[in-house]
Amino acid sequence: MQVAPYLALVLALAAACQLLAYRAKVPSILLLLVVGFGLGQVVTPEEVLGRDVLFAGVSVSVGIILFEGSLSLRFRDLRGLGTAVVRLCTVVVALAWVLITASGMVAGIGWQLSLLIGALLVVTGPTVIAPIVRQLRPTRRVSSMLRWEGIVVDPIGAVLAVLVFQTVIISGPEVSIGPALVMLGRLLLICTALTLVFGVGLEVAMRRHWIPDFLEGVVFLAVAVGALVVSNQLQAESGLLTVTMLGIYLANRPGLRLDHVREFKEHLQVLIVGALFVMLAGRISPAEVVAVAPIALVFVTLLILVVRPASVWLGLLGTSATREERTLLSFMAPRGIVAAAVTSIFALELEHAAENAVLESRQIDLPPLEALELEANAERLTALVAEASDLVPLVFVTIVVTVAVYGLGVGRLAERLGLATTTPNGILFAGAPVWARQAAGILQGLGVPTLLVSLSPAEVSQARMAGLRVERTHILSEYAVEDMELAGIGSFVAATYDDATNSTAAREFAHTLGSSQTFQLRRQDERRDEEAEEQGSGSRRRSSPESGATATQAKQRTARKLTARLAFRPALSAPELEQRVREGMAVRQTKLTEQHTLDDFLERQPDAVLMFSVEDGHATVVGRTTTVPQSGVTLVALVRPRAEANGGR
């Protein structure tokens, strides 16, 4: 197969798998690995791209992934969690390395390769953590710990693997700590120096507005790749640590706005992750999986049941992490693309080292003693290559099993621990007017979590007196956007009197909840019958007396990309809803049955405002295109008093 068709097929499969996984609410990596494994039986990536190009691309891609993830790591997210996160990235890593090494030896792997596997598999990774967190939506404390561990430990694992590879595998059975320490010091010096050079340069360019907005993402990408390559040239496999440190540095510089960069990198990361998993999985054959299955079964069982729980509980003793949080963290360690990519790279490096050792041992005119040493080293490395043939399939089996176990099982555990929900269905209200408080009270009684956000002391006080969960802050404050607890929240309704605030807040929360689940009240400067106006616009433009009016309306109407979906049916503005409340209307719940259908309800309440449809504790915001069942749900609507609705009878 030619390169272009192969890459097009990989991208198409990656996108399809991730879309299907989102719809089915399963970890996308499982589908990506299965599809990639199947594609690999038809054509392997080496056949199309060549080994050197493939692994160069993998190295750069993994660096981009870690850079994108590290841009989201802010020290302010560690309030009250600093000690726990430091332990996760140091003590827990060390314990996991020791325990994984022991597990490898128990499973029948030699001690040298067990040390290397232990270093490679201490990682979790943003490519597997982020989708699970996005689906699970845990508390901010748990989310922060998982994200910091997943992103920071990845380069630590790569560096640890470099040290093991150079000091244990290449140097031979006589391990020397001195050279390892020198290598580590050199590596840290290079990474720190490059971080400061590239980081300060980007910061100065951003603060002086040398980079236009539309080029920010491209420039940051180019700099990150450049830092990765330069670092790897100066010290093998140090680039991952450099780009991670660079991202953390930039993410925590005060006043440095990186919104365009994060958005660009987020989309790129999703594309790269899908393509990488499909291609790397294609390198594994069924025979390799079958051959490694007995060892993998023992090894992965020890990882899940012994290594992770023991390392987390011992490593987090004495920290602020609660018992529930430690329990959840103990069963949340899926392995991702970094483990797969770095393992493949080191397997290739081991082959190269063995080939070079064989060539050196065949040199002529060598002293007899040196020749014997070189020959023994070549034999040792050749034997390690044969033993390491199971390394890559073993790691891929580990990835599949850990993603399946943790990704499919952690949801129920998190729900039982009260730290997350797999089906977030709560409603977040921006503003707390009378009707919103009434709706929140009814929804809460129906088992739907709600959260009201308001700056008004009167609204906040009345909401608290009603037993409602409320936050006194501006919906666009840094606290509300960055730190407010949204566990269990699935939809957003912007209901303040300020239309601009509603639109901005809806767009902001769409990043977290999705644009399909963010709504705002109708703007006060828009016509209510907007659909009819749009449908008739073509004919009205042909009428000269009205064409000027239509053009004026178009100039005054807010751009669609700056507004969210309109909430409720009919869509009303904040003053109109308030006016109906003053006229005596109130939010009520009505159970729709076959004897009292939606049509029956609308016949009795023709001017009702349909707000929410609730079924089995799941609330759906009613909009213009929402389908409300005739029966079987509870309708929450703004209605007139029953006697008034019946004509006073």
Side-chain angles (χ1 to χ4, degrees), residues 94-163:
L95 290 171
W97 181 32
V98 172
L99 293 174
I100 295 172
T101 300
S103 300
M105 296 173 67
V106 170
I109 304 171
W111 71 272
Q112 290 176 308
L113 287 180
S114 292
L115 279 172
L116 182 60
I117 291 175
L120 293 169
L121 292 181
V122 297
V123 302
T124 53
T127 59
V128 284
I129 291 294
I132 294 176
V133 168
R134 189 182 302 117
Q135 179 181 339
L136 192 61
R137 204 169 298 160
T139 62
R140 286 199 178 270
R141 285 174 55 91
V142 171
S143 177
S144 294
M145 286 190 282
L146 288 173
R147 286 190 300 108
W148 273 86
E149 181 192 22
I151 295 169
V152 173
V153 174
D154 269 0
I156 291 176
V159 169
L160 189 59
V162 170
L163 296 177

Side-chain angles (χ1 to χ4, degrees), residues 13 17-18 20-22 24-38 127-128 131-132 135 273-274 277-278 281 334-336 396-409:
L13 291 174
C17 287
Q18 294 185 82
L20 182 60
Y22 171 78
K25 297 189 181 301
V26 297
S28 60
I29 293 172
L30 290 179
L31 294 183
L32 290 168
L33 289 174
V34 171
V35 170
F37 183 77
T127 59
V128 284
I132 294 176
Q135 179 181 339
V273 167
F277 271 113
V278 170
R335 272 61 177 188
F396 269 89
V397 171
T398 302
I399 292 172
V400 172
V401 175
T402 56
V403 169
V405 171
Y406 295 128
L408 300 176

Side-chain angles (χ1 to χ4, degrees), residues 445-517:
L446 294 172
V448 178
T450 60
L451 173 60
L452 299 161
V453 176
S454 175
L455 263 181
S456 168
E459 290 182 350
V460 171
S461 176
Q462 292 170 13
R464 287 175 178 166
M465 291 175 61
L468 302 174
R469 182 184 167 203
V470 62
E471 292 275 8
R472 185 181 178 186
T473 185
H474 194 282
I475 191 61
L476 295 178
S477 67
E478 190 171 7
Y479 167 77
V481 173
E482 305 280 350
D483 300 324
M484 190 166 62
E485 186 62 69
L486 295 179
I489 297 298
S491 300
F492 173 73
V493 178
T496 72
Y497 265 74
D498 187 342
D499 291 330
T501 296
N502 289 344
S503 297
T504 304
R507 294 199 311 276
E508 183 62 42
F509 281 89
H511 295 303
T512 303
L513 305 177
S515 58
S516 63
Q517 299 300 320

Side-chain angles (χ1 to χ4, degrees), residues 41-89:
Q41 310 318 305
V42 179
V43 57
T44 64
E46 280 103 332
E47 294 175 6
V48 180
L49 303 176
R51 178 173 289 185
D52 292 339
V53 172
L54 173 65
F55 283 106
V58 168
S59 178
V60 171
S61 298
V62 171
I64 293 172
I65 292 169
L66 288 182
F67 180 64
E68 186 276 332
S70 61
L71 285 174
S72 66
L73 299 182
R74 296 162 304 170
F75 294 129
R76 58 192 300 271
D77 295 335
L78 298 180
R79 296 182 195 135
L81 292 173
T83 303
V85 169
V86 170
R87 294 272 195 92
L88 279 172
C89 299

Side-chain angles (χ1 to χ4, degrees), residues 162-347:
V162 170
L163 296 177
V164 172
F165 186 77
Q166 294 293 336
T167 60
V168 177
I169 294 180
I170 301 300
S171 300
E174 296 181 1
V175 179
S176 178
I177 302 299
L181 294 177
V182 172
M183 183 186 302
L184 179 60
R186 171 185 167 86
L187 184 145
L188 293 176
L189 181 62
I190 290 172
C191 293
T192 303
L194 291 177
T195 296
L196 291 176
V197 170
F198 287 104
V200 171
L202 278 176
E203 183 180 4
V204 171
M206 290 290 288
R207 293 193 187 281
R208 297 188 179 182
H209 304 287
W210 291 345
I211 307 173
D213 289 357
F214 73 95
L215 286 179
E216 286 178 358
V218 175
V219 170
F220 271 66
L221 174 64
V223 171
V225 172
L228 173 81
V229 173
V230 171
S231 185
N232 281 339
Q233 291 297 317
L234 296 175
Q235 176 65 59
E237 302 306 323
S238 65
L240 297 184
L241 183 59
T242 297
V243 294
T244 302
M245 292 173 61
L246 177 61
I248 294 175
Y249 171 85
L250 293 170
N252 289 279
R253 298 305 297 160
L256 194 63
R257 301 196 55 167
L258 302 175
D259 299 334
H260 295 99
V261 178
R262 291 193 185 99
E263 185 174 359
F264 173 78
K265 291 289 194 299
E266 183 179 358
H267 295 162
L268 187 62
Q269 185 249 27
V270 172
L271 180 66
I272 289 174
V273 167
L276 282 183
F277 271 113
V278 170
M279 287 193 292
L280 290 179
R283 301 183 65 247
I284 312 298
S285 68
E288 291 175 319
V289 174
V290 172
V292 81
I295 295 176
L297 180 62
V298 176
F299 182 67
V300 177
T301 301
L302 290 173
L303 285 187
I304 295 174
L305 299 182
V306 178
V307 173
R308 180 63 177 183
S311 58
V312 167
W313 278 93
L314 292 174
L316 295 184
L317 283 177
T319 67
S320 61
T322 65
R323 183 182 183 87
E324 290 77 14
E325 289 169 344
R326 278 179 280 175
T327 301
L328 183 59
L329 291 172
S330 296
F331 294 96
M332 186 61 169
R335 272 61 177 188
I337 195 64
V338 173
V342 176
T343 301
S344 299
I345 290 171
F346 275 109

